[in-house]
């Protein structure tokens, strides 16, 4: 297949060999263009590189927003170059997904996740503009690492997926994690749990370094979203195993009671102490919260394993709702 239709035409489908060949051709073109731009001394050379280009563009955009200055020619050129590279990658992944009988949902979810990462890192960098320039290296590195990890994981998943029409069922990640209706098999449940824990691993780090996001209610919103995703995942898996929602309601009640107890005990310990020693008691309050979180982690791990191992019921699910 010619290079231009392969990289820039989203129609049709391609097999695994053509997909990896297209990625190799895109990498060669990107490296050649980056070398040519760098040899001319143009600042847009880094925009051709995956992950690194997105991170540097986010930092550049944040700098223009912070100084309230219009975008420079170099920034506009970088955005156009990165957009062309991402469009070519999306065309390859979309055609490979179509050949593997996968919907466009996971690719859309990947794009939204990467946009969320860029937004969070932009807020993080915005908070650091009054500090030393060296401090901005960390958010840029975190941005590049997360973007590269997401892109690499999705690329491998799509690239090695075989064509197996007899095992294919409609599968969209948004429906798995955001729609409480239907059923979810073991595989969908485990993958959803892994995605949730990966989000929880990276999100607190970004929130802790972004005071602007924290001031805008980022932590409560994250907790609400995580709680909703947990309810959707567990309800669908329990339904698939022929179990009622009673155990999930009990676990949620136990979690709320445990956290509330930790807050009350921490607050009581803090208030009952002399003012001179008050500096030591925020640490005691945090220790109570940490112990409660540890207890809940053990209980939820055991509960998640019990839910994941549940045998699916024999009756078939409606089309598109049985996700294995």
């Amino acid at each position: 297949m010619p290079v231009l239709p392969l990289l820039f035409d989203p129609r049709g489908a391609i097999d695994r060999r053509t997909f990896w060949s297209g990625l190799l051709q895109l990498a060669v073109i990107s490296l050649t263009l980056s070398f040519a731009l760098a040899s001319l001394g143009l600042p847009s050379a880094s925009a051709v590189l995956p992950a690194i280009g997105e991170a540097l563009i986010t930092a550049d955009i944040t700098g223009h927003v912070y100084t309230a200055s219009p975008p420079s020619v170099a920034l506009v050129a970088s955005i156009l170059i990165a957009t062309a590279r991402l469009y070519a990658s999306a065309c390859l992944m979309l055609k490979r997904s179509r050949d593997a009988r996968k919907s466009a949902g996971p690719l859309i979810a990947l794009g939204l996740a990467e946009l969320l990462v860029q937004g969070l890192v932009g807020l993080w960098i915005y908070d650091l503009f009054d500090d030393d320039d060296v401090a901005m290296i960390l958010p840029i590195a975190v941005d590049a690492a997360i973007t590269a990890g997401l892109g690499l994981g999705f690329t491998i998943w799509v690239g090695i997926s075989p064509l197996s029409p007899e095992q294919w069922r409609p599968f969209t990640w948004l429906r798995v994690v955001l729609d409480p209706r239907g059923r979810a098999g073991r595989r969908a449940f485990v993958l959803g749990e892994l995605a949730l824990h990966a989000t929880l691993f990276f999100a607190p780090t970004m929130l802790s370094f972004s005071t602007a996001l924290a001031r805008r209610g980022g932590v409560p919103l994250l907790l609400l979203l995580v709680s909703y995703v947990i309810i959707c995942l567990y309800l669908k898996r329990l339904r698939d195993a022929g179990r009622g929602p009673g155990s999930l309601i009990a676990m949620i009640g136990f979690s709320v009671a445990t956290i509330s107890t930790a807050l009350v005990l921490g607050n009581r310990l803090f208030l009952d102490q002399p003012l001179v020693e008050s500096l030591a008691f925020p640490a005691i309050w945090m220790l109570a919260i940490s112990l409660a979180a540890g207890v809940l982690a053990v209980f939820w791990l055991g509960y998640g394993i019990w839910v994941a191992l549940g045998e699916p019921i024999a009756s078939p699910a409606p089309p598109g709702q049985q996700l294995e």
Side-chain angles (χ1 to χ4, degrees):
M1 182 181 292
V3 177
L4 288 180
L6 176 62
L7 296 182
F8 294 101
D9 187 357
R11 298 171 297 177
I14 55 176
D15 57 15
R16 287 180 286 188
R17 180 178 179 182
T18 308
F19 173 73
W20 291 108
S21 172
L23 285 180
L24 180 60
Q25 295 177 60
L26 179 61
V28 171
I29 294 173
S30 299
L31 289 175
T32 304
L33 181 59
S34 178
F35 178 78
L37 293 174
S39 63
L40 294 174
L42 298 176
S44 304
S46 59
V48 189
L49 304 176
I52 299 175
E54 287 90 316
L56 294 177
I57 289 174
T58 298
D60 200 359
I61 292 175
T62 307
H64 283 77
V65 171
Y66 187 83
T67 57
S69 59
S72 61
V73 176
L75 175 59
V76 174
S78 299
I79 293 175
L80 292 177
I81 292 172
T83 302
R85 172 174 52 78
L86 291 172
Y87 177 77
S89 303
C91 288
L92 288 171
M93 293 178 180
L94 183 61
K95 291 189 283 190
R96 181 68 197 81
S97 298
R98 196 175 289 128
D99 180 71
R101 301 295 190 270
K102 300 181 184 297
S103 70
L107 181 59
I108 295 173
L110 173 67
L112 293 175
E114 294 198 350
L115 284 176
L116 177 62
V117 170
Q118 305 309 318
L120 292 174
V121 171
L123 288 172
W124 185 0
I125 294 175
Y126 190 90
D127 292 338
L128 298 177
F129 255 97
D130 291 332
D131 301 333
D132 189 2
D133 291 342
V134 181
M136 297 185 192
I137 297 177
L138 179 59
I140 293 175
V142 170
D143 186 350
I146 296 177
T147 304
L150 290 173
L152 182 61
F154 185 83
T155 301
I156 294 175
W157 176 66
V158 170
I160 65 175
S161 296
L163 174 60
S164 52
E166 69 280 358
Q167 297 179 0
W168 172 70
R169 295 183 178 92
F171 184 96
T172 59
W173 277 107
L174 291 179
R175 189 175 71 244
V176 172
V177 299
L178 297 178
D179 187 359
R181 299 171 299 177
R183 291 159 48 180
R186 292 170 175 169
R187 178 176 176 270
F189 176 76
V190 172
L191 290 177
E193 282 281 276
L194 291 176
L196 178 64
H197 284 81
T199 303
L200 290 175
F201 178 78
F202 288 111
T205 304
M206 288 190 165
L207 289 173
S208 64
F209 282 101
S210 181
T211 56
L213 185 61
R215 287 196 301 266
R216 290 167 174 80
V219 175
L221 287 177
L222 177 65
L223 291 177
L224 286 175
L225 178 61
V226 167
S227 302
Y228 180 74
V229 169
I230 289 175
I231 292 173
C232 291
L233 278 174
Y234 279 84
L235 274 181
K236 294 165 81 116
R237 179 79 264 274
L238 288 169
R239 193 177 294 124
D240 182 67
R243 296 168 177 167
S247 59
L248 179 60
I249 295 174
M251 281 297 299
I252 294 175
F254 173 72
S255 302
V256 172
T258 304
I259 294 295
S260 302
T261 303
L263 290 173
V264 170
L265 289 178
N267 191 47
R268 184 175 296 277
L269 287 172
F270 179 77
L271 292 177
D272 287 348
Q273 301 301 323
L275 184 61
V276 217
E277 304 174 0
S278 62
L279 291 178
F281 291 96
I284 296 178
W285 188 81
M286 290 303 297
L287 177 61
I289 296 296
S290 302
L291 290 175
V295 171
L296 289 178
V298 173
F299 274 87
W300 275 100
L301 176 62
Y303 180 67
I305 294 174
W306 177 74
V307 171
L309 294 178
E311 290 290 339
I313 56 178
S315 60
Q321 291 189 0
Q322 176 65 37
L323 307 173
E324 296 179 353

